[in-house]
Amino acid sequence: MGISRITFEIERQIPKMPATTRVETLRSGRKVQLVRGQLIGTDGQVYLTAHAWLIRIDTDAAPNIPFDGSLPKPPSDCPPLTIEIPGQTTFFDAVEMRTASGTPFAGGRATAWMRQRVPLVADESVSPYAITAFAADSANGVSRIAPFEELIAINTDLTVYFARKPVGDWVAIDASTLSQGLGLGMTDSMVYDASGFVGRSNQSIFFDAT
């Protein structure tokens, strides 16, 4: 089975506390499955719920229609990207980044390569699917439209569509954030790994002045 689509609903701000994950199958089947995962804090609250559609892999079921767009430069050809926030342990301490295009986390459309420095779940190897979701969740930051200290831009959800199973530990996010000045917006991104096109991700964005 391969993940076709996964949607994360961020139900409340996730605190810095120990948490557990709970996964269950909502629809079983040989060809299509629906799985739900939840992140639960030590206070018993559900902080995040994810639903994933899984579809059987069959290379004879459909023609191969290759991606015909341009690909980002490979991570080995991109300069390192370092962001430090003094006195705080943040997302940036958990990820290695490289700039493929634009100025990631500095305003406007940009493309950044990312790979994790630490596992998402203690004592568990990180799958390429998880690495992809980890990177895609930062797309609204990669393409932020104003400095952090001037504009809050928080995604309330994340959906990733997969054209194929990602491979390797590097993921590139080519992100664009759109706003019509109404206090809400969206981020639309193309997703790649070192082998090529992987899929697309979208986020709903809540904006507020700091």
Side-chain angles (χ1 to χ4, degrees), residues 75-92:
S76 58
D77 294 344
C78 299
L81 172 63
T82 301
I83 298 177
E84 297 181 355
I85 300 179
Q88 298 184 47
T89 299
T90 70
F91 163 86
F92 300 112

Side-chain angles (χ1 to χ4, degrees), residues 54-129:
L54 285 73
I55 297 177
R56 61 89 183 92
I57 301 298
D58 184 351
T59 57
D60 298 324
N64 179 20
I65 302 175
F67 177 68
D68 62 359
S70 60
L71 300 175
K73 295 183 294 184
S76 58
D77 294 344
C78 299
L81 172 63
T82 301
I83 298 177
E84 297 181 355
I85 300 179
Q88 298 184 47
T89 299
T90 70
F91 163 86
F92 300 112
D93 297 300
V95 61
E96 178 183 354
M97 300 184 294
R98 294 178 179 270
T99 298
S101 68
T103 52
F105 298 95
R109 179 175 179 174
T111 306
W113 284 101
M114 302 182 187
R115 67 176 173 183
Q116 292 176 233
R117 300 182 189 273
V118 296
L120 280 174
V121 179
D123 302 321
E124 293 283 346
S125 60
V126 183
S127 79
Y129 284 118

